[in-house]
Amino acid sequence: MKGKYVSETILKMLLLLFAVTILSFILITKAPIDPLTSYIGSESTLSPAARQQIADYWGLNQPLVQRYFTWLGNIFRGDFGMSITYKRPVIDVIGERFSASLVLMLLAWLCSGVLGFFLGMASGKHKGSVFDKITQGFCLVLQSTPTFWIGILFLELFSVTLGWFPLGMSVPMGVLASQVTLGDRMYHLFLPFFTLTVISLGKITLYTRQKYIEEMNNDYILFAKARGESSRQILNRHIMRNIALPAVTVQFASFSELFGGMTLAETVFSYPGIGTATTAAATHGDVPLLLGITLFSALFVFTGNLIANLLYGVLDPRMREGALHA
């Protein structure tokens, strides 16, 4: 029964991914930026025949449906095309850029999850206190504030005003790659990581706070108190177990927000990851790279949602049974 639930969940995700490929292909190929003009330049003196030859090489003159199935067939063969911007295979650009972004996202995901969980626990425990009100207000502000604005604010404060951190990039300028140390990389990584961690705190903190309050109002907590269990025993035996796994599930489900925030944070700090590659591809009308990044980001987000759905099924058997009887 569990295997059927997992297979049905994966099938739904694959269908959603297929729908995303169709929608993304239509939207990107119909964008107002002409990829041919972006490739050769707006002031190019190429002859019409040469322009036609380049368009034929990139498949820009084919019907939309034919272009889509050609692109999809190439994807199944592992060929994502050539990036017009970087003049390299799309899969190589994504692999190189995502390796830099992966460290940033994982660190921010882990730290925001741990800090948000304990901050939410503390806020729920002191419900109605000044600390609770400040925490709620802070989280609500984070939820409603654009990522790029927070990034610019931190850049102005910590880099320009205080001079504690560099203005951007992932390594020092003018230094050979062989001479860049791990400390240099961590120094340049800290401010984008700190920004992404802060903007990811709000959701998990508010969820954990609300879940803590709900658990403390359950009858089994009153029964545990009547049996003489201490506050620490109640926290360790009941509250932590009933809150931790749902909180992890919520954190996995926040992959889409994390990916979007990472893209904006990288752009603000000029961090050479997948976010800045997305901006460059959009600016230059690099359709192959945009499609590759869109597909890759969708896979990343769907992976997080898939893990979240599977965890929900494990934590709540009623959900699994509902899926099986649907």
Side-chain angles (χ1 to χ4, degrees):
M1 299 295 279
K2 292 182 179 180
K4 184 177 180 181
Y5 170 74
V6 172
S7 61
E8 288 183 354
T9 303
I10 294 176
L11 179 60
K12 291 178 182 178
M13 290 295 178
L14 291 176
L15 291 176
L16 283 173
L17 183 61
F18 179 68
V20 167
T21 63
I22 296 175
L23 183 61
S24 301
F25 190 88
I26 294 174
L27 291 177
I28 293 176
T29 54
K30 292 297 183 180
I33 299 178
D34 182 15
L36 180 59
T37 303
S38 300
Y39 178 72
I40 64 177
S42 58
E43 299 180 358
S44 173
T45 58
L46 286 176
S47 65
R51 294 172 64 95
Q52 180 68 31
Q53 185 177 3
I54 295 174
D56 292 337
Y57 175 78
W58 292 109
L60 300 177
N61 294 326
Q62 297 177 355
L64 183 62
V65 176
Q66 183 179 350
R67 289 171 60 187
Y68 170 75
F69 282 106
T70 300
W71 171 75
L72 191 63
N74 291 336
I75 292 297
F76 282 117
R77 290 192 296 270
D79 181 12
F80 285 71
M82 291 289 294
S83 169
I84 298 175
T85 304
Y86 297 97
K87 309 298 188 298
R88 296 172 55 197
V90 168
I91 193 65
D92 291 345
V93 176
I94 293 177
E96 179 184 297
R97 291 303 185 104
F98 186 73
S99 62
S101 298
L102 186 61
V103 177
L104 174 62
M105 285 189 292
L106 285 181
L107 288 175
W109 185 80
L110 289 172
C111 288
S112 64
V114 173
L115 292 176
F117 178 77
F118 286 105
L119 188 61
M121 292 277 289
S123 181
K125 183 177 181 180
H126 300 91
K127 178 184 176 182
S129 65
V130 175
F131 172 77
D132 179 40
K133 293 178 181 178
I134 292 176
T135 301
Q136 288 188 76
F138 176 69
C139 292
L140 291 174
V141 169
L142 290 178
Q143 291 289 91
S144 58
T145 304
T147 301
F148 72 88
W149 189 87
I150 296 180
I152 293 174
L153 180 65
F154 286 167
L155 192 65
E156 172 68 25
L157 176 62
F158 295 111
S159 297
V160 178
T161 304
L162 299 176
W164 291 354
F165 298 100
L167 289 172
M169 307 300 293
S170 62
V171 294
M173 295 182 62
V175 178
L176 296 176
S178 59
Q179 299 176 349
V180 177
T181 64
L182 179 61
D184 292 332
R185 295 185 183 277
M186 297 304 295
Y187 179 58
H188 282 73
L189 176 68
F190 182 82
L191 202 52
F193 149 74
F194 180 69
T195 302
L196 196 56
T197 299
V198 169
I199 63 177
S200 303
L201 275 176
K203 184 176 182 179
I204 186 65
T205 300
L206 293 175
Y207 172 83
T208 305
R209 174 191 177 274
Q210 185 62 33
K211 192 69 176 176
Y212 180 92
I213 295 173
E214 291 176 359
E215 291 295 325
M216 288 300 296
N217 291 329
N218 281 333
D219 293 337
Y220 75 89
I221 297 296
L222 297 177
F223 180 71
K225 291 179 179 178
R227 289 190 304 176
E229 294 187 26
S230 64
S231 298
R232 181 178 295 274
Q233 289 175 326
I234 292 174
L235 179 64
N236 294 333
R237 294 178 181 177
H238 307 290
I239 302 298
M240 288 287 290
R241 181 176 60 183
N242 292 334
I243 295 179
L245 288 178
V248 171
T249 304
V250 170
Q251 190 70 351
F252 272 110
S254 65
F255 269 20
S256 58
E257 292 90 344
L258 177 67
F259 197 93
M262 178 271 301
T263 301
L264 294 174
E266 286 186 355
T267 302
V268 170
F269 294 102
S270 301
Y271 189 81
I274 201 72
T276 49
T278 303
T279 303
T283 303
H284 295 90
D286 192 343
V287 173
L289 183 56
L290 277 176
L291 288 172
I293 292 176
T294 301
L295 181 60
F296 193 79
S297 60
L299 282 171
F300 179 79
V301 172
F302 284 163
T303 300
N305 290 337
L306 177 61
I307 296 174
N309 287 339
L310 295 179
L311 285 177
Y312 274 130
V314 172
L315 295 172
D316 189 355
R318 295 172 301 177
M319 179 180 175
R320 183 168 62 248
E321 292 172 1
L324 293 175
H325 292 92

